Amino acid sequence: MLRRALAVVAGKLIIGAAGLLTGVRAIWSGTTPKAEQTLYFANHTSHGDFVLLWATLPPDLRALTRPVAGQDYWMASKVRQFIGADVFNALMIRRDGSGQGGNPVDQMKEALEGGDSLIMFPEGTRNTGDEILLPLKSGLYHLARACPTVRLVPVWIENLKRVLPKGTLVPIPLACTVRFGTPIQLAEGEDKTGFLARARAAMLDLRPEYDRVPEQEKAAATTP
Amino acid sequence: MNISPFTQTTLQLFGGVAGVLILASAIGATLKWRVAQGRPHSVIDNLNARVNAWWLMVAVIGLAFAFGKGGVIVLFYLISFYALREFISLAYTRRGDHHAIAAAFYIGLPVQYFLVWIEWYGLYSIFIPVYAFLVLPILAAVGGDTQRFLERTSKIQWGLMICVFCISHVPALLTLQIPGFEGRNLLLIAFLVIVVQGSDVLQYVWGKLFGKRKVAPELSPSKTWEGLVGGVASATALGAALYWATPFNPWQAALMALTICLMGFFGGLVMSAIKRDRGVKDWGSMIEGHGGMLDRLDSVIFAAPIYFHALRYWWVP
């Protein structure tokens, strides 16, 4: 009871802090928030990604949506455990490949079949390099095939990478945006490669205009 | 009742502004009802959003005035913070810049306002353009990333310059010791804000009514010669008409207002050029109908330091 109450308060505090720090703003460009079972798939550059995405969902949808998180990270300390399990009700998956608790895709599939909405990062890991978006792992495809009725909403989280880059302690208060795009569906007979390419393009299409042309290309194009 | 001359003048100024806003709200409501007939209409809705945001901004400034120097410094500190956040959010930076940006937010910004608070002119006038400009590239160099180093460094420096240094010159007006004008320095801020924003609004109005020839089509499609000339002329007249609230006589007030308007106009042009370079229309989405903090403040940014120094040179012995 007390733990539950604490979790609610902590959730509000985290959302408040995320809002203060990043002034986060949600843009629903291809769809509107709907109380339909949804799998949100987003780019992953920071530990704060799912917090930000989760914070921008309307409160009633937030209660129905669970982030998919790495167990090794979120079970590493009591505080993380409380935040991961109690505040966010995260679906903890094992990334070490030990096979205990089933493989991640099966775990997500089970949760989706149980009626949960999920937030997942199809790159599989945090993108800490210069690349805009890592190649997508096949998990998204398997989930789309296993749960055809779930809405697949692409999401682009902008700027968060710069708020707290890997290996730094002090967050910088930059403005972040979370863009929700048009849901995609697995087409009849579509293969894995084609579907993942489409999902990737749907995510990249949500980038802000100024981020479309990679900076290096832009510089190269203007140099005579 | 016993009201000081300062309070009386302030109330008159705010009363005048409120009168203009009531008129603007009435016009907006009439347009919405008559022209748009209650249906969505992009220009009229934008106009009404702007007027509503003006009410809020005037209320916030009024509140800050009520708290005096502390209130004004806190207000402009927050304004600088949001402006810097918008600026850096749009600038290209790399991981190696992290320490430099953190220093800008957590050291440069508060120290500049602290120096204004303790009225140390000798240091706050050089703290950013000398010390921050040297320390920031050092921090970025320590980050060890040389790719496009000069460009990244200058963006952070320039962000600090316009968002913190220039904006802090508005509260710095409170520190000027003008003989015969003691205790009324808030009115210097009121004059600047009314003239600069009046110039923006009047340029918008003249431009919408008569605008044909664009001043700088590749920078800002909404700026026209008709808007510029009409807006600057009428805002200069407005400034001259406000001379009674200032240490100026009418022609000095007119010249000062003209300078403020021209600097404001060019400020808007420069800030548009930066936005164009980044491929965005607005700096942010903070103020309904106006875009971001920097969209509303671009003209104040360029006018404030010049106004400050003109005052300091000719009016402070």
Side-chain angles (χ1 to χ4, degrees):
Chain A
M1 189 63 198
L2 180 66
R3 207 178 161 91
R4 190 69 225 126
L6 267 180
V8 170
V9 172
K12 294 224 183 302
L13 281 179
I14 291 171
I15 290 174
L20 271 184
L21 187 68
T22 66
V24 65
R25 182 162 71 105
I27 299 180
W28 294 81
S29 59
T31 180
T32 47
K34 264 190 222 157
E36 263 175 45
Q37 196 188 8
T38 305
L39 175 69
Y40 303 93
F41 59 101
N43 58 324
H44 193 20
T45 57
S46 153
H47 282 309
D49 280 329
F50 77 75
V51 180
L52 220 54
L53 203 166
W54 194 71
T56 48
L57 292 173
D60 50 334
L61 296 191
R62 208 182 287 149
L64 307 170
T65 307
R66 307 173 66 188
V68 178
Q71 190 174 43
D72 46 301
Y73 181 81
W74 289 101
M75 286 297 166
S77 77
K78 278 260 183 280
V79 176
R80 284 187 199 170
Q81 234 174 62
F82 173 72
I83 293 177
D86 292 274
V87 179
F88 294 117
N89 185 22
L91 175 66
M92 299 291 180
I93 55 165
R94 298 187 68 104
R95 295 182 291 194
D96 53 8
S98 69
Q100 275 176 312
N103 78 49
V105 174
D106 288 342
Q107 273 182 275
M108 283 188 251
K109 194 180 131 199
E110 218 169 281
L112 286 172
E113 280 166 354
D116 291 334
S117 285
L118 295 179
I119 297 170
M120 64 99 78
F121 302 104
E123 292 163 280
T125 182
R126 221 155 21 112
N127 178 4
T128 53
D130 276 345
E131 212 157 330
I132 293 190
L133 183 64
L134 300 173
L136 304 192
K137 296 266 174 67
S138 57
L140 185 62
Y141 167 74
H142 294 305
L143 290 171
R145 219 170 56 160
C147 311
T149 54
V150 174
R151 223 158 59 112
L152 306 173
V153 173
V155 180
W156 190 262
I157 301 170
E158 178 193 336
N159 250 348
L160 193 57
K161 187 184 198 166
R162 296 161 66 208
V163 169
L164 196 61
K166 195 181 186 182
T168 56
L169 285 177
V170 185
I172 298 176
L174 295 179
C176 294
T177 310
V178 178
R179 276 167 214 265
F180 296 84
T182 314
I184 62 167
Q185 271 185 324
L186 183 63
E188 192 96 15
E190 188 174 21
D191 70 343
K192 194 171 87 179
T193 325
F195 174 76
L196 289 179
R198 221 151 50 78
R200 191 181 152 87
M203 293 167 78
L204 290 173
D205 279 349
L206 293 171
R207 282 175 301 164
E209 217 168 289
Y210 66 84
D211 216 11
R212 289 294 168 85
V213 187
E215 291 277 341
Q216 285 78 1
E217 279 176 42
K218 216 191 271 175
T222 49
T223 358
Chain B
M1 205 162 60
N2 208 357
I3 299 179
S4 75
F6 162 68
T7 312
Q8 199 188 344
T9 316
T10 312
L11 288 176
Q12 281 166 345
L13 282 180
F14 273 97
V17 171
V20 171
L21 284 179
I22 289 170
L23 182 67
S25 291
I27 292 175
T30 313
L31 285 173
K32 179 81 189 164
W33 174 55
R34 274 285 167 81
V35 180
Q37 290 170 343
R39 284 192 292 270
H41 184 292
S42 63
V43 176
I44 294 173
D45 290 346
N46 177 261
L47 179 76
N48 285 330
R50 278 176 190 242
V51 174
N52 290 342
W54 272 120
W55 277 110
L56 188 66
M57 289 187 268
V58 169
V60 170
I61 294 175
L63 192 67
F65 269 38
F67 283 96
K69 180 181 161 190
V72 171
I73 288 189
V74 169
L75 172 65
F76 281 91
Y77 180 98
L78 290 173
I79 288 176
S80 277
F81 169 79
Y82 285 114
L84 186 63
R85 171 151 106 181
E86 280 172 7
F87 191 96
I88 302 283
S89 296
L90 271 188
Y92 170 77
T93 64
R94 292 167 61 84
R95 203 181 331 158
D97 296 317
H98 191 82
H99 295 302
I101 301 174
F105 274 104
Y106 298 119
I107 301 173
L109 175 62
V111 169
Q112 175 71 10
Y113 277 88
F114 175 71
L115 294 172
V116 171
W117 168 258
I118 62 169
E119 310 196 0
W120 188 353
Y121 171 78
L123 192 51
Y124 74 65
S125 60
I126 60 166
F127 171 67
I128 286 173
V130 177
Y131 293 96
F133 270 38
L134 292 175
V135 169
L136 287 174
I138 295 173
L139 289 174
V142 171
D145 184 351
T146 56
Q147 197 175 344
R148 301 171 73 194
F149 181 80
L150 183 59
E151 185 191 335
R152 284 160 38 213
T153 301
S154 42
K155 276 179 185 163
I156 301 172
Q157 289 175 326
W158 180 233
L160 209 56
M161 191 73 187
I162 60 170
C163 302
V164 181
F165 181 79
C166 290
I167 293 178
S168 76
H169 278 70
V170 180
L173 290 166
L174 298 180
T175 68
L176 293 173
Q177 308 284 335
I178 298 171
F181 202 66
E182 290 87 359
R184 307 173 66 192
N185 278 24
L186 280 170
L187 294 172
L188 297 172
I189 296 183
F191 180 80
L192 171 70
V193 173
I194 290 174
V195 170
V196 136
Q197 304 295 357
S199 166
D200 280 3
V201 171
L202 289 164
Q203 282 180 44
Y204 172 87
V205 172
W206 281 81
K208 281 267 179 261
L209 291 179
F210 307 106
K212 285 198 180 63
R213 280 157 297 177
K214 293 186 182 0
V215 177
E218 60 288 351
L219 286 180
S220 175
S222 60
K223 285 191 166 54
T224 59
W225 280 109
E226 293 80 359
L228 171 62
V229 174
V232 168
S234 44
T236 302
L238 172 69
L242 289 177
Y243 79 95
W244 48 273
T246 69
F248 317 132
N249 65 32
W251 68 265
Q252 288 168 332
L255 270 183
M256 206 57 123
L258 179 65
T259 313
I260 290 173
C261 293
L262 290 178
M263 284 313 293
F265 171 79
F266 289 121
L269 223 50
V270 170
M271 298 302 279
S272 293
I274 300 176
K275 283 189 281 189
R276 281 290 138 118
D277 180 34
R278 295 304 286 150
V280 294
K281 214 178 121 281
D282 290 325
W283 283 100
S285 55
M286 223 186 134
I287 315 174
E288 183 79 37
H290 294 259
M293 187 63 88
L294 282 171
D295 294 290
R296 188 63 273 129
L297 276 187
D298 47 10
S299 33
V300 178
I301 286 166
F302 280 66
I306 305 300
Y307 174 62
F308 175 92
H309 285 288
L311 268 164
R312 192 166 183 280
Y313 189 80
W314 280 294
W315 274 269
V316 177

